[in-house]
Amino acid sequence: MLEIENLTHAYGSGPLIVGGIDLRVEAGELVSIVGPSGCGKSTLLRCIAGLQRPSGGLVTKDGKVVEQVPDDLAVVFQDYSRSLFPWLSVRDNVALPLRRRGLKRAARHEAADQALESVGLAEAGSKYPWQLSGGMQQRASIARALAYRPTLLIMDEPFGSVDAQTREDLEDLLLSVRGNGGMTILLVTHDIDESVYVGDRVVVLTKSPTRVRADLRVGLPAKRDQITTRGLPEFVHLRAEVGRLVRGIGTPVQSAS
Amino acid sequence: MRKIQIVRGTIGVAGAVAVAELASRSGLVDPAALPAASTVLQRAAELTVDGEFLADVTDTLKAWLGGLALATLIALAAGLALGSTPWLGRASRIVVEFMRPIPSVALIPLAIVTFSSATQSKMALVCYAATWPILINTLYALRDVDPLAKETLRSFGFGPAAVLLRVNLPSIAPFVATGVRISASVGLVVVISTELVAGGEGIGSYLTETQSGGGRPDLMLAGAVWAGVLGLLINAVLVAAERRAFRWHTVRTGASA
Ligand SMILES: Nc1ncnc2c1ncn2[C@@H]1O[C@H](COP(=O)(O)OP(=O)(O)OP(=O)(O)O)[C@@H](O)[C@H]1O
Ligand SMILES: [Mg+2]
């Protein structure tokens, strides 16, 4: 579905940020990406999304080289509050991308309301983004991406500002989306437990100029829940492993490739 | 807050009127040159049913509105063209900063010889003077459009035209509106100044006529009062319209008073 070959990037004449990434993602996979703060995770995602032309290397989606933003893509940006349009209501924000789907106004609003409900924002549709808390804004931008039903969903630390309970709900929402949508998902997170809980694979990046340090397959059952899954020996083992790798200790493993 | 402002304003105006009244009645200034304030206000009230004066007001407003509308179109189109091409924008900013300080009143003689009708000259001069504030606000606002907002729309596969229409235009709208409001005041000054010099119809001509040949200073001042009231009214209407239309902007920037 997605193939990244020797991707490198430097902003202008600045230092190399992305130092050569190779990654293959199958259709329907959810790949968690973790790495030290500032290592270039957002930069990597922007290159994959076609928003930033990489300095070197190749991104291929469904056999086509990504030169512009590919069709059927949605991004949940790390800076969620700036990515919502303040002049539109929350419902209109969520509904706007659906114009690209050729939906009529009523259909757009229905889809938007449905998506808002799925992230627990059923009541907020007619409010404006700046009338919502940070966590609610973040959920609104997740709803916008989900309503669009992309084949590739890119999420950059999408649960950073929500409370613990909502975070668990959103993680489960993501698992259910992956289960029945055939959506391929790249999720950048700084929460190691989360990367294991929702992921089919966990990709650990090195510090900048970033490379793939490890690519671990998550051997957990497809059906997961917050209580049981987090208690499984495989979960406990993996999170310790990922934790060591992120901190730069432990042997790099390439179990997934 | 608003109420206090109104009360203060009323006290200020009443105070000024009282001082003017006293100055005239006490013989401090020659009542023939500066009639009592009460007389002026009475004449001003009578002018509301004076057909000739009303025709003058209509004429002034027509030239003002025509010039302002034209300026808005020109400035917006030029601003979008210059702002969308970075090098053109940089080069043009110098030209704009150089042209802007030329007082449009200095161009009155040129306008008179260039245009056959007085209305045309007035409109052209208003248009010239009103273009700059709108153009400059458009240019600076375009430069400050949040790149992440544009990127968000691009990430859903929207093209440059959609970005212009759905992100750039809404983002700059409040600043353009402020430019229009500034231009509206400038334009009123210019149109009346032109009428003072060039004659023809309009409030400015009314002022010249009532002043000439011994004249009627009471009527002249009554006309001036109406010119002031027009300026205040126009400003108040535009401020109220901005508050209503761009609540998202005033709330976010904390500019609401
Ligand atoms: N538009 C840009 N121009 C120049 N440098 C940039 C730009 N965006 C990011 N950088 C630099 O690239 C480096 C990596 O930034 P990036 O945001 O990709 O890291 P990150 O891993 O997402 O960080 P975080 O964990 O804080 O989200 C940083 O040093 C940053 O200063
Ligand atoms: Mg980041």
Side-chain angles (χ1 to χ4, degrees):
Chain A
M1 176 334 135
L2 193 67
E3 214 162 326
I4 300 158
E5 292 165 63
N6 194 26
L7 186 84
T8 57
H9 189 71
Y11 287 102
S13 54
L16 198 61
I17 306 288
V18 179
I21 298 273
D22 289 285
L23 199 63
R24 251 183 88 90
V25 181
E26 301 304 330
E29 258 187 328
L30 196 160
V31 176
S32 302
I33 300 172
V34 294
S37 177
C39 75
K41 302 181 292 292
S42 298
T43 304
L44 172 66
L45 292 187
R46 284 164 42 80
C47 291
I48 296 172
L51 291 167
Q52 175 77 55
R53 183 180 283 277
S55 309
L58 213 57
V59 178
T60 320
K61 178 177 180 282
D62 299 318
K64 274 195 301 208
V65 175
V66 172
E67 278 173 332
Q68 292 163 1
V69 178
D71 275 341
D72 286 340
L73 168 85
V75 181
V76 177
F77 288 91
Q78 186 172 7
D79 208 342
Y80 52 88
S81 65
R82 281 171 54 212
S83 114
L84 293 169
F85 305 120
W87 51 86
L88 295 181
S89 70
V90 171
R91 178 182 296 112
D92 287 339
N93 262 287
V94 175
L96 176 57
L98 298 173
R99 284 175 180 275
R100 294 263 307 147
R101 295 270 186 258
L103 293 182
K104 290 257 177 331
R105 189 183 155 84
R108 289 201 302 267
H109 278 183
E110 201 187 313
D113 284 338
Q114 233 168 30
L116 282 170
E117 198 182 333
S118 73
V119 298
L121 282 183
E123 309 299 318
S126 50
K127 294 219 169 93
Y128 284 84
W130 35 270
Q131 294 173 318
L132 305 184
S133 71
M136 290 164 91
Q137 290 177 21
Q138 198 159 31
R139 280 185 277 157
S141 72
I142 293 168
R144 177 170 62 186
L146 291 179
Y148 190 63
R149 298 187 186 282
T151 54
L152 177 59
L153 174 61
I154 293 180
M155 306 178 99
D156 198 350
E157 302 196 15
F159 309 142
S161 298
V162 298
D163 59 278
Q165 177 59 50
T166 311
R167 187 176 189 124
E168 293 189 352
D169 291 346
L170 290 175
E171 287 166 3
D172 289 334
L173 176 68
L174 207 56
L175 284 174
S176 74
V177 164
R178 185 203 50 161
N180 57 33
M183 209 183 273
T184 309
I185 304 173
L186 298 183
L187 171 85
V188 163
T189 173
H190 58 250
D191 183 329
I192 289 165
D193 284 28
E194 178 172 282
S195 72
V196 175
Y197 178 68
V198 299
D200 293 309
R201 280 158 64 194
V202 180
V203 170
V204 184
L205 300 178
T206 66
K207 62 185 202 312
S208 176
T210 196
R211 293 167 169 279
V212 176
R213 180 173 169 82
D215 189 343
L216 310 167
R217 185 154 293 285
V218 178
L220 293 169
K223 225 178 134 35
R224 303 175 190 181
D225 71 86
Q226 295 285 352
I227 309 292
T228 337
T229 308
R230 285 175 193 265
L232 293 175
E234 165 76 0
F235 181 89
V236 177
H237 164 76
L238 254 180
R239 65 178 260 215
E241 177 80 35
V242 174
R244 273 195 296 275
L245 287 162
V246 171
R247 283 171 188 84
I249 41 184
T251 27
V253 207
Q254 297 286 328
S255 75
S257 46
Chain B
M1 186 74 193
R2 297 284 301 276
K3 244 182 202 153
I4 290 173
Q5 279 175 345
I6 292 170
V7 170
R8 274 193 198 142
T10 313
I11 293 174
V13 170
V17 169
V19 169
E21 181 81 21
L22 218 69
S24 179
R25 294 246 181 251
S26 66
L28 196 67
V29 293
D30 181 3
L34 184 68
S38 54
T39 317
V40 172
L41 288 180
Q42 199 188 334
R43 293 291 169 273
E46 286 162 13
L47 282 182
T48 53
V49 290
D50 182 335
E52 240 174 274
F53 179 71
L54 291 182
D56 278 328
V57 171
T58 313
D59 223 74
T60 299
L61 287 181
K62 264 190 201 155
W64 167 79
L65 193 62
L68 188 63
L70 202 59
T72 307
L73 287 180
I74 292 174
L76 204 55
L80 287 175
L82 296 175
S84 310
T85 353
W87 64 268
L88 205 59
R90 268 195 301 279
S92 65
R93 207 163 293 140
I94 299 163
V95 179
V96 169
E97 295 289 359
F98 176 75
M99 297 273 286
R100 185 173 62 137
I102 301 178
S104 48
V105 188
L107 298 175
I108 293 177
L110 177 67
I112 292 174
V113 296
T114 310
F115 297 98
S116 49
S117 88
T119 310
Q120 275 181 359
S121 327
K122 284 193 278 185
M123 262 200 216
L125 285 168
V126 170
C127 179
Y128 175 83
T131 298
W132 304 114
I134 306 173
L135 178 59
I136 286 176
N137 270 25
T138 305
L139 282 177
Y140 280 95
L142 268 178
R143 204 186 50 179
D144 290 343
V145 174
D146 192 338
L148 189 64
K150 293 192 251 187
E151 208 157 70
T152 299
L153 210 59
R154 282 213 293 135
S155 75
F156 286 107
F158 286 90
V163 172
L164 178 74
L165 185 72
R166 301 195 183 282
V167 176
N168 285 348
L169 281 183
S171 301
I172 68 171
F175 300 96
V176 174
T178 306
V180 169
R181 176 160 50 86
I182 296 167
S183 290
S185 305
V186 172
L188 199 62
V189 172
V190 169
V191 78
I192 294 178
S193 309
T194 312
E195 289 164 353
L196 282 174
V197 178
E201 309 293 320
I203 300 178
S205 316
Y206 181 85
L207 296 182
T208 328
E209 280 156 24
T210 47
Q211 176 251 353
S212 63
R216 290 285 307 274
D218 53 340
L219 287 180
M220 183 187 78
L221 286 173
V225 165
W226 276 117
V229 169
L230 274 183
L232 279 176
L233 275 181
I234 288 166
N235 196 60
V237 167
L238 290 178
V239 166
E242 278 174 56
R243 284 235 173 95
R244 256 187 89 87
F246 306 121
R247 208 163 59 91
W248 62 267
H249 178 75
T250 38
V251 169
R252 266 163 31 108
T253 53
S256 60

